[in-house]
Structures are given as C-alpha cells and as structure tokens.
mmCIF file of all heavy atoms in Angstrom:
data_model
loop_
_atom_site.group_PDB
_atom_site.id
_atom_site.type_symbol
_atom_site.label_atom_id
_atom_site.label_comp_id
_atom_site.label_asym_id
_atom_site.label_seq_id
_atom_site.Cartn_x
_atom_site.Cartn_y
_atom_site.Cartn_z
ATOM 1 N N SER Z 94 0.821 -1.202 0.000
ATOM 2 C CA SER Z 94 0.000 0.000 0.000
ATOM 3 C C SER Z 94 0.856 1.254 0.000
ATOM 4 O O SER Z 94 1.987 1.261 0.501
ATOM 5 C CB SER Z 94 -0.912 0.035 1.230
ATOM 6 O OG SER Z 94 -1.796 -1.062 1.252
ATOM 7 N N LEU Z 95 0.310 2.309 -0.572
ATOM 8 C CA LEU Z 95 0.893 3.637 -0.523
ATOM 9 C C LEU Z 95 -0.226 4.650 -0.392
ATOM 10 O O LEU Z 95 -1.342 4.418 -0.861
ATOM 11 C CB LEU Z 95 1.706 3.955 -1.779
ATOM 12 C CG LEU Z 95 3.111 3.382 -1.917
ATOM 13 C CD1 LEU Z 95 3.665 3.727 -3.298
ATOM 14 C CD2 LEU Z 95 4.025 3.919 -0.835
ATOM 15 N N ARG Z 96 0.088 5.771 0.223
ATOM 16 C CA ARG Z 96 -0.853 6.877 0.328
ATOM 17 C C ARG Z 96 -0.227 8.117 -0.287
ATOM 18 O O ARG Z 96 0.773 8.629 0.224
ATOM 19 C CB ARG Z 96 -1.228 7.153 1.776
ATOM 20 C CG ARG Z 96 -2.356 8.170 1.939
ATOM 21 C CD ARG Z 96 -2.418 8.678 3.351
ATOM 22 N NE ARG Z 96 -3.634 9.414 3.643
ATOM 23 C CZ ARG Z 96 -3.764 10.262 4.653
ATOM 24 N NH1 ARG Z 96 -2.761 10.465 5.488
ATOM 25 N NH2 ARG Z 96 -4.926 10.878 4.851
ATOM 26 N N LEU Z 97 -0.814 8.586 -1.360
ATOM 27 C CA LEU Z 97 -0.347 9.787 -2.019
ATOM 28 C C LEU Z 97 -1.085 11.003 -1.476
ATOM 29 O O LEU Z 97 -2.266 10.922 -1.147
ATOM 30 C CB LEU Z 97 -0.558 9.707 -3.529
ATOM 31 C CG LEU Z 97 0.040 8.502 -4.252
ATOM 32 C CD1 LEU Z 97 -0.193 8.627 -5.756
ATOM 33 C CD2 LEU Z 97 1.523 8.360 -3.941
ATOM 34 N N SER Z 98 -0.379 12.114 -1.397
ATOM 35 C CA SER Z 98 -0.975 13.363 -0.971
ATOM 36 C C SER Z 98 -0.761 14.420 -2.031
ATOM 37 O O SER Z 98 0.242 14.403 -2.748
ATOM 38 C CB SER Z 98 -0.358 13.841 0.351
ATOM 39 O OG SER Z 98 -0.585 12.922 1.392
ATOM 40 N N CYS Z 99 -1.695 15.332 -2.129
ATOM 41 C CA CYS Z 99 -1.586 16.460 -3.045
ATOM 42 C C CYS Z 99 -1.963 17.709 -2.278
ATOM 43 O O CYS Z 99 -3.134 17.897 -1.923
ATOM 44 C CB CYS Z 99 -2.497 16.266 -4.257
ATOM 45 S SG CYS Z 99 -2.513 17.657 -5.403
ATOM 46 N N ALA Z 100 -0.975 18.542 -2.012
ATOM 47 C CA ALA Z 100 -1.195 19.782 -1.285
ATOM 48 C C ALA Z 100 -1.451 20.911 -2.262
ATOM 49 O O ALA Z 100 -0.697 21.102 -3.215
ATOM 50 C CB ALA Z 100 0.009 20.103 -0.408
ATOM 51 N N ALA Z 101 -2.508 21.657 -2.021
ATOM 52 C CA ALA Z 101 -2.906 22.741 -2.907
ATOM 53 C C ALA Z 101 -2.802 24.082 -2.205
ATOM 54 O O ALA Z 101 -3.137 24.202 -1.025
ATOM 55 C CB ALA Z 101 -4.336 22.528 -3.402
ATOM 56 N N SER Z 102 -2.335 25.063 -2.935
ATOM 57 C CA SER Z 102 -2.341 26.435 -2.455
ATOM 58 C C SER Z 102 -3.448 27.198 -3.153
ATOM 59 O O SER Z 102 -3.773 26.916 -4.313
ATOM 60 C CB SER Z 102 -0.990 27.106 -2.696
ATOM 61 O OG SER Z 102 -0.699 27.187 -4.083
ATOM 62 N N GLY Z 103 -4.023 28.150 -2.446
ATOM 63 C CA GLY Z 103 -5.116 28.921 -3.003
ATOM 64 C C GLY Z 103 -6.340 28.862 -2.111
ATOM 65 O O GLY Z 103 -6.735 27.773 -1.684
ATOM 66 N N ARG Z 104 -6.936 29.981 -1.868
ATOM 67 C CA ARG Z 104 -8.046 30.061 -0.927
ATOM 68 C C ARG Z 104 -9.355 29.532 -1.494
ATOM 69 O O ARG Z 104 -10.324 29.376 -0.748
ATOM 70 C CB ARG Z 104 -8.221 31.504 -0.448
ATOM 71 C CG ARG Z 104 -8.578 32.492 -1.531
ATOM 72 C CD ARG Z 104 -8.463 33.924 -1.011
ATOM 73 N NE ARG Z 104 -9.348 34.173 0.118
ATOM 74 C CZ ARG Z 104 -10.580 34.646 0.006
ATOM 75 N NH1 ARG Z 104 -11.083 34.933 -1.190
ATOM 76 N NH2 ARG Z 104 -11.299 34.846 1.095
ATOM 77 N N THR Z 105 -9.409 29.245 -2.800
ATOM 78 C CA THR Z 105 -10.618 28.722 -3.422
ATOM 79 C C THR Z 105 -10.531 27.225 -3.708
ATOM 80 O O THR Z 105 -11.265 26.712 -4.539
ATOM 81 C CB THR Z 105 -10.929 29.468 -4.734
ATOM 82 O OG1 THR Z 105 -9.838 29.320 -5.646
ATOM 83 C CG2 THR Z 105 -11.177 30.937 -4.459
ATOM 84 N N PHE Z 106 -9.654 26.529 -3.001
ATOM 85 C CA PHE Z 106 -9.459 25.105 -3.203
ATOM 86 C C PHE Z 106 -10.764 24.321 -3.156
ATOM 87 O O PHE Z 106 -10.972 23.401 -3.952
ATOM 88 C CB PHE Z 106 -8.483 24.566 -2.160
ATOM 89 C CG PHE Z 106 -8.388 23.070 -2.121
ATOM 90 C CD1 PHE Z 106 -7.643 22.389 -3.066
ATOM 91 C CD2 PHE Z 106 -9.040 22.343 -1.135
ATOM 92 C CE1 PHE Z 106 -7.543 21.009 -3.031
ATOM 93 C CE2 PHE Z 106 -8.948 20.961 -1.093
ATOM 94 C CZ PHE Z 106 -8.200 20.291 -2.040
ATOM 95 N N SER Z 107 -11.649 24.648 -2.233
ATOM 96 C CA SER Z 107 -12.870 23.880 -2.032
ATOM 97 C C SER Z 107 -13.833 23.951 -3.211
ATOM 98 O O SER Z 107 -14.756 23.139 -3.297
ATOM 99 C CB SER Z 107 -13.584 24.331 -0.757
ATOM 100 O OG SER Z 107 -14.005 25.679 -0.856
ATOM 101 N N ARG Z 108 -13.630 24.871 -4.134
ATOM 102 C CA ARG Z 108 -14.509 25.005 -5.289
ATOM 103 C C ARG Z 108 -14.065 24.148 -6.464
ATOM 104 O O ARG Z 108 -14.720 24.137 -7.508
ATOM 105 C CB ARG Z 108 -14.595 26.468 -5.739
ATOM 106 C CG ARG Z 108 -15.182 27.414 -4.703
ATOM 107 C CD ARG Z 108 -16.603 27.016 -4.317
ATOM 108 N NE ARG Z 108 -17.497 26.970 -5.465
ATOM 109 C CZ ARG Z 108 -18.228 27.994 -5.891
ATOM 110 N NH1 ARG Z 108 -18.174 29.160 -5.245
ATOM 111 N NH2 ARG Z 108 -19.016 27.862 -6.935
ATOM 112 N N TYR Z 109 -12.981 23.425 -6.319
ATOM 113 C CA TYR Z 109 -12.446 22.597 -7.396
ATOM 114 C C TYR Z 109 -12.716 21.130 -7.131
ATOM 115 O O TYR Z 109 -12.598 20.652 -6.003
ATOM 116 C CB TYR Z 109 -10.937 22.791 -7.533
ATOM 117 C CG TYR Z 109 -10.508 24.116 -8.102
ATOM 118 C CD1 TYR Z 109 -10.357 25.223 -7.289
ATOM 119 C CD2 TYR Z 109 -10.234 24.238 -9.460
ATOM 120 C CE1 TYR Z 109 -9.961 26.437 -7.806
ATOM 121 C CE2 TYR Z 109 -9.834 25.449 -9.988
ATOM 122 C CZ TYR Z 109 -9.694 26.546 -9.165
ATOM 123 O OH TYR Z 109 -9.285 27.739 -9.689
ATOM 124 N N ALA Z 110 -13.078 20.410 -8.188
ATOM 125 C CA ALA Z 110 -12.994 18.965 -8.148
ATOM 126 C C ALA Z 110 -11.528 18.572 -8.279
ATOM 127 O O ALA Z 110 -10.767 19.234 -8.980
ATOM 128 C CB ALA Z 110 -13.813 18.345 -9.275
ATOM 129 N N MET Z 111 -11.146 17.506 -7.609
ATOM 130 C CA MET Z 111 -9.762 17.057 -7.625
ATOM 131 C C MET Z 111 -9.677 15.668 -8.224
ATOM 132 O O MET Z 111 -10.497 14.800 -7.922
ATOM 133 C CB MET Z 111 -9.183 17.050 -6.217
ATOM 134 C CG MET Z 111 -9.201 18.405 -5.521
ATOM 135 S SD MET Z 111 -8.143 19.625 -6.361
ATOM 136 C CE MET Z 111 -6.536 18.854 -6.168
ATOM 137 N N GLY Z 112 -8.675 15.463 -9.056
ATOM 138 C CA GLY Z 112 -8.510 14.182 -9.708
ATOM 139 C C GLY Z 112 -7.087 13.672 -9.615
ATOM 140 O O GLY Z 112 -6.146 14.431 -9.385
ATOM 141 N N TRP Z 113 -6.954 12.369 -9.769
ATOM 142 C CA TRP Z 113 -5.661 11.712 -9.885
ATOM 143 C C TRP Z 113 -5.582 11.033 -11.244
ATOM 144 O O TRP Z 113 -6.517 10.344 -11.662
ATOM 145 C CB TRP Z 113 -5.449 10.672 -8.788
ATOM 146 C CG TRP Z 113 -5.174 11.249 -7.434
ATOM 147 C CD1 TRP Z 113 -6.070 11.458 -6.432
ATOM 148 C CD2 TRP Z 113 -3.907 11.675 -6.927
ATOM 149 N NE1 TRP Z 113 -5.448 11.985 -5.335
ATOM 150 C CE2 TRP Z 113 -4.111 12.133 -5.608
ATOM 151 C CE3 TRP Z 113 -2.615 11.713 -7.458
ATOM 152 C CZ2 TRP Z 113 -3.079 12.625 -4.814
ATOM 153 C CZ3 TRP Z 113 -1.589 12.205 -6.669
ATOM 154 C CH2 TRP Z 113 -1.832 12.653 -5.368
ATOM 155 N N PHE Z 114 -4.461 11.218 -11.915
ATOM 156 C CA PHE Z 114 -4.175 10.583 -13.186
ATOM 157 C C PHE Z 114 -2.814 9.921 -13.089
ATOM 158 O O PHE Z 114 -2.021 10.231 -12.209
ATOM 159 C CB PHE Z 114 -4.190 11.602 -14.332
ATOM 160 C CG PHE Z 114 -5.536 12.230 -14.556
ATOM 161 C CD1 PHE Z 114 -5.979 13.271 -13.755
ATOM 162 C CD2 PHE Z 114 -6.359 11.775 -15.574
ATOM 163 C CE1 PHE Z 114 -7.223 13.852 -13.959
ATOM 164 C CE2 PHE Z 114 -7.606 12.349 -15.786
ATOM 165 C CZ PHE Z 114 -8.037 13.380 -14.985
ATOM 166 N N ARG Z 115 -2.534 9.018 -14.004
ATOM 167 C CA ARG Z 115 -1.226 8.375 -14.008
ATOM 168 C C ARG Z 115 -0.767 8.136 -15.437
ATOM 169 O O ARG Z 115 -1.561 8.019 -16.364
ATOM 170 C CB ARG Z 115 -1.248 7.060 -13.231
ATOM 171 C CG ARG Z 115 -2.106 5.953 -13.855
ATOM 172 C CD ARG Z 115 -2.201 4.766 -12.911
ATOM 173 N NE ARG Z 115 -2.960 3.669 -13.486
ATOM 174 C CZ ARG Z 115 -3.316 2.579 -12.834
ATOM 175 N NH1 ARG Z 115 -2.973 2.431 -11.554
ATOM 176 N NH2 ARG Z 115 -4.004 1.620 -13.438
ATOM 177 N N GLN Z 116 0.544 8.064 -15.592
ATOM 178 C CA GLN Z 116 1.127 7.818 -16.897
ATOM 179 C C GLN Z 116 2.347 6.922 -16.739
ATOM 180 O O GLN Z 116 3.292 7.268 -16.030
ATOM 181 C CB GLN Z 116 1.516 9.122 -17.595
ATOM 182 C CG GLN Z 116 1.968 8.933 -19.029
ATOM 183 C CD GLN Z 116 2.005 10.238 -19.798
ATOM 184 O OE1 GLN Z 116 2.044 11.312 -19.212
ATOM 185 N NE2 GLN Z 116 1.976 10.146 -21.113
ATOM 186 N N ALA Z 117 2.305 5.777 -17.394
ATOM 187 C CA ALA Z 117 3.407 4.836 -17.392
ATOM 188 C C ALA Z 117 4.243 5.036 -18.651
ATOM 189 O O ALA Z 117 3.744 5.555 -19.652
ATOM 190 C CB ALA Z 117 2.884 3.404 -17.320
ATOM 191 N N PRO Z 118 5.515 4.614 -18.630
ATOM 192 C CA PRO Z 118 6.355 4.751 -19.821
ATOM 193 C C PRO Z 118 5.725 4.090 -21.039
ATOM 194 O O PRO Z 118 5.287 2.940 -20.975
ATOM 195 C CB PRO Z 118 7.651 4.044 -19.419
ATOM 196 C CG PRO Z 118 7.692 4.174 -17.931
ATOM 197 C CD PRO Z 118 6.261 4.054 -17.497
ATOM 198 N N GLY Z 119 5.661 4.815 -22.144
ATOM 199 C CA GLY Z 119 5.091 4.292 -23.364
ATOM 200 C C GLY Z 119 3.583 4.242 -23.387
ATOM 201 O O GLY Z 119 3.002 3.756 -24.363
ATOM 202 N N LYS Z 120 2.939 4.733 -22.343
ATOM 203 C CA LYS Z 120 1.486 4.714 -22.243
ATOM 204 C C LYS Z 120 0.933 6.133 -22.228
ATOM 205 O O LYS Z 120 1.634 7.086 -21.903
ATOM 206 C CB LYS Z 120 1.036 3.981 -20.977
ATOM 207 C CG LYS Z 120 1.495 2.545 -20.869
ATOM 208 C CD LYS Z 120 0.750 1.646 -21.836
ATOM 209 C CE LYS Z 120 1.108 0.188 -21.592
ATOM 210 N NZ LYS Z 120 0.348 -0.718 -22.488
ATOM 211 N N GLU Z 121 -0.336 6.248 -22.583
ATOM 212 C CA GLU Z 121 -1.013 7.529 -22.505
ATOM 213 C C GLU Z 121 -1.466 7.798 -21.074
ATOM 214 O O GLU Z 121 -1.667 6.877 -20.285
ATOM 215 C CB GLU Z 121 -2.219 7.556 -23.446
ATOM 216 C CG GLU Z 121 -1.858 7.444 -24.918
ATOM 217 C CD GLU Z 121 -3.062 7.483 -25.821
ATOM 218 O OE1 GLU Z 121 -4.198 7.425 -25.307
ATOM 219 O OE2 GLU Z 121 -2.878 7.574 -27.044
ATOM 220 N N ARG Z 122 -1.610 9.069 -20.754
ATOM 221 C CA ARG Z 122 -2.121 9.446 -19.446
ATOM 222 C C ARG Z 122 -3.536 8.918 -19.265
ATOM 223 O O ARG Z 122 -4.371 9.041 -20.166
ATOM 224 C CB ARG Z 122 -2.093 10.966 -19.307
ATOM 225 C CG ARG Z 122 -2.555 11.492 -17.958
ATOM 226 C CD ARG Z 122 -2.349 12.998 -17.878
ATOM 227 N NE ARG Z 122 -2.936 13.667 -19.027
ATOM 228 C CZ ARG Z 122 -2.817 14.965 -19.286
ATOM 229 N NH1 ARG Z 122 -2.113 15.739 -18.473
ATOM 230 N NH2 ARG Z 122 -3.387 15.491 -20.362
ATOM 231 N N GLU Z 123 -3.824 8.335 -18.101
ATOM 232 C CA GLU Z 123 -5.132 7.761 -17.862
ATOM 233 C C GLU Z 123 -5.728 8.238 -16.543
ATOM 234 O O GLU Z 123 -5.021 8.520 -15.575
ATOM 235 C CB GLU Z 123 -5.073 6.233 -17.878
ATOM 236 C CG GLU Z 123 -4.263 5.617 -16.751
ATOM 237 C CD GLU Z 123 -4.341 4.102 -16.730
ATOM 238 O OE1 GLU Z 123 -5.262 3.532 -17.350
ATOM 239 O OE2 GLU Z 123 -3.471 3.473 -16.083
ATOM 240 N N PHE Z 124 -7.036 8.290 -16.526
ATOM 241 C CA PHE Z 124 -7.781 8.671 -15.342
ATOM 242 C C PHE Z 124 -7.691 7.586 -14.285
ATOM 243 O O PHE Z 124 -7.768 6.399 -14.596
ATOM 244 C CB PHE Z 124 -9.250 8.914 -15.710
ATOM 245 C CG PHE Z 124 -10.158 9.066 -14.534
ATOM 246 C CD1 PHE Z 124 -10.185 10.238 -13.797
ATOM 247 C CD2 PHE Z 124 -10.997 8.033 -14.158
ATOM 248 C CE1 PHE Z 124 -11.026 10.386 -12.715
ATOM 249 C CE2 PHE Z 124 -11.847 8.160 -13.079
ATOM 250 C CZ PHE Z 124 -11.857 9.345 -12.355
ATOM 251 N N VAL Z 125 -7.536 7.991 -13.028
ATOM 252 C CA VAL Z 125 -7.489 7.056 -11.911
ATOM 253 C C VAL Z 125 -8.679 7.255 -10.973
ATOM 254 O O VAL Z 125 -9.440 6.323 -10.717
ATOM 255 C CB VAL Z 125 -6.181 7.190 -11.114
ATOM 256 C CG1 VAL Z 125 -6.192 6.259 -9.902
ATOM 257 C CG2 VAL Z 125 -4.980 6.888 -12.008
ATOM 258 N N ALA Z 126 -8.838 8.472 -10.469
ATOM 259 C CA ALA Z 126 -9.904 8.753 -9.512
ATOM 260 C C ALA Z 126 -10.143 10.246 -9.445
ATOM 261 O O ALA Z 126 -9.278 11.045 -9.788
ATOM 262 C CB ALA Z 126 -9.553 8.214 -8.123
ATOM 263 N N ALA Z 127 -11.330 10.635 -8.982
ATOM 264 C CA ALA Z 127 -11.652 12.043 -8.800
ATOM 265 C C ALA Z 127 -12.697 12.181 -7.710
ATOM 266 O O ALA Z 127 -13.463 11.249 -7.437
ATOM 267 C CB ALA Z 127 -12.156 12.669 -10.098
ATOM 268 N N VAL Z 128 -12.742 13.346 -7.085
ATOM 269 C CA VAL Z 128 -13.751 13.668 -6.080
ATOM 270 C C VAL Z 128 -14.240 15.078 -6.335
ATOM 271 O O VAL Z 128 -13.445 15.995 -6.531
ATOM 272 C CB VAL Z 128 -13.199 13.488 -4.645
ATOM 273 C CG1 VAL Z 128 -11.983 14.379 -4.401
ATOM 274 C CG2 VAL Z 128 -14.286 13.765 -3.621
ATOM 275 N N THR Z 129 -15.559 15.259 -6.359
ATOM 276 C CA THR Z 129 -16.132 16.570 -6.649
ATOM 277 C C THR Z 129 -16.101 17.467 -5.423
ATOM 278 O O THR Z 129 -16.020 16.997 -4.288
ATOM 279 C CB THR Z 129 -17.575 16.441 -7.145
ATOM 280 O OG1 THR Z 129 -18.402 15.949 -6.081
ATOM 281 C CG2 THR Z 129 -17.664 15.492 -8.330
ATOM 282 N N TRP Z 130 -16.171 18.765 -5.656
ATOM 283 C CA TRP Z 130 -16.185 19.714 -4.538
ATOM 284 C C TRP Z 130 -17.588 19.930 -4.000
ATOM 285 O O TRP Z 130 -17.761 20.219 -2.818
ATOM 286 C CB TRP Z 130 -15.579 21.054 -4.967
ATOM 287 C CG TRP Z 130 -16.386 21.795 -6.006
ATOM 288 C CD1 TRP Z 130 -16.215 21.763 -7.344
ATOM 289 C CD2 TRP Z 130 -17.475 22.692 -5.756
ATOM 290 N NE1 TRP Z 130 -17.133 22.575 -7.964
ATOM 291 C CE2 TRP Z 130 -17.923 23.165 -7.006
ATOM 292 C CE3 TRP Z 130 -18.118 23.154 -4.599
ATOM 293 C CZ2 TRP Z 130 -18.978 24.057 -7.137
ATOM 294 C CZ3 TRP Z 130 -19.178 24.042 -4.724
ATOM 295 C CH2 TRP Z 130 -19.589 24.484 -5.978
ATOM 296 N N ARG Z 131 -18.599 19.797 -4.863
ATOM 297 C CA ARG Z 131 -19.962 20.122 -4.462
ATOM 298 C C ARG Z 131 -20.575 19.056 -3.566
ATOM 299 O O ARG Z 131 -21.133 19.372 -2.509
ATOM 300 C CB ARG Z 131 -20.830 20.328 -5.700
ATOM 301 C CG ARG Z 131 -22.294 20.616 -5.392
ATOM 302 C CD ARG Z 131 -23.068 20.895 -6.662
ATOM 303 N NE ARG Z 131 -24.492 21.053 -6.395
ATOM 304 C CZ ARG Z 131 -25.367 20.055 -6.401
ATOM 305 N NH1 ARG Z 131 -24.960 18.822 -6.670
ATOM 306 N NH2 ARG Z 131 -26.645 20.288 -6.140
ATOM 307 N N THR Z 132 -20.490 17.805 -3.976
ATOM 308 C CA THR Z 132 -21.136 16.713 -3.255
ATOM 309 C C THR Z 132 -20.157 15.744 -2.612
ATOM 310 O O THR Z 132 -20.563 14.901 -1.812
ATOM 311 C CB THR Z 132 -22.056 15.920 -4.184
ATOM 312 O OG1 THR Z 132 -21.277 15.298 -5.212
ATOM 313 C CG2 THR Z 132 -23.096 16.834 -4.825
ATOM 314 N N GLY Z 133 -18.890 15.842 -2.950
ATOM 315 C CA GLY Z 133 -17.920 14.893 -2.453
ATOM 316 C C GLY Z 133 -18.039 13.531 -3.100
ATOM 317 O O GLY Z 133 -17.543 12.542 -2.552
ATOM 318 N N THR Z 134 -18.686 13.467 -4.249
ATOM 319 C CA THR Z 134 -18.846 12.208 -4.964
ATOM 320 C C THR Z 134 -17.519 11.753 -5.549
ATOM 321 O O THR Z 134 -16.789 12.550 -6.135
ATOM 322 C CB THR Z 134 -19.883 12.352 -6.079
ATOM 323 O OG1 THR Z 134 -21.128 12.789 -5.516
ATOM 324 C CG2 THR Z 134 -20.098 11.026 -6.796
ATOM 325 N N SER Z 135 -17.225 10.477 -5.399
ATOM 326 C CA SER Z 135 -15.983 9.907 -5.898
ATOM 327 C C SER Z 135 -16.217 9.096 -7.165
ATOM 328 O O SER Z 135 -17.252 8.454 -7.322
ATOM 329 C CB SER Z 135 -15.335 9.019 -4.841
ATOM 330 O OG SER Z 135 -15.009 9.758 -3.681
ATOM 331 N N TYR Z 136 -15.232 9.119 -8.051
ATOM 332 C CA TYR Z 136 -15.261 8.356 -9.289
ATOM 333 C C TYR Z 136 -13.942 7.617 -9.418
ATOM 334 O O TYR Z 136 -12.888 8.144 -9.050
ATOM 335 C CB TYR Z 136 -15.464 9.277 -10.491
ATOM 336 C CG TYR Z 136 -16.729 10.093 -10.433
ATOM 337 C CD1 TYR Z 136 -16.763 11.311 -9.769
ATOM 338 C CD2 TYR Z 136 -17.893 9.638 -11.045
ATOM 339 C CE1 TYR Z 136 -17.933 12.060 -9.707
ATOM 340 C CE2 TYR Z 136 -19.060 10.383 -10.987
ATOM 341 C CZ TYR Z 136 -19.072 11.593 -10.321
ATOM 342 O OH TYR Z 136 -20.228 12.333 -10.264
ATOM 343 N N TYR Z 137 -14.007 6.398 -9.959
ATOM 344 C CA TYR Z 137 -12.817 5.572 -10.089
ATOM 345 C C TYR Z 137 -12.760 4.888 -11.442
ATOM 346 O O TYR Z 137 -13.792 4.507 -12.000
ATOM 347 C CB TYR Z 137 -12.778 4.490 -9.004
ATOM 348 C CG TYR Z 137 -12.707 5.029 -7.604
ATOM 349 C CD1 TYR Z 137 -13.860 5.226 -6.857
ATOM 350 C CD2 TYR Z 137 -11.482 5.344 -7.026
ATOM 351 C CE1 TYR Z 137 -13.799 5.725 -5.564
ATOM 352 C CE2 TYR Z 137 -11.409 5.844 -5.738
ATOM 353 C CZ TYR Z 137 -12.572 6.035 -5.011
ATOM 354 O OH TYR Z 137 -12.494 6.529 -3.731
#
C-alpha cells in the first residue's frame, strides 16, 4: 500500500474537483480517480 498526498495552495481550493491521473512509460495518461467539490462524490 501507498498513500499519495496532493497539497494545494489557493483560498478557493474547495470550489475545485480534484482528480488523480497516471502515466506509465510508453502509455497515454489515464484517469485514476476524482472527487467533486460540491457533493464529495468519488469516481474511479
């Protein structure tokens, strides 16, 4: 297991949806997960 963190600067952070993406060598960038700011809904 690993736990990744993403620290954001800016006073309007809560108005943004946040996502995680990944890119492996020779591969295209792909969606991993996201969480919305409005409802806190998660997508994977």
Side-chain angles (χ1 to χ4, degrees):
S94 299
L95 281 175
R96 188 196 193 200
L97 305 183
S98 298
C99 176
S102 63
R104 63 191 300 268
T105 60
F106 170 78
S107 63
R108 298 300 302 269
Y109 288 85
M111 301 296 297
W113 286 97
F114 296 80
R115 67 187 182 188
Q116 187 165 20
K120 301 288 187 178
E121 296 180 351
R122 182 174 52 186
E123 66 175 342
F124 169 76
V125 177
V128 59
T129 67
W130 66 265
R131 178 176 175 270
T132 64
T134 303
S135 299
Y136 301 86
Y137 298 94

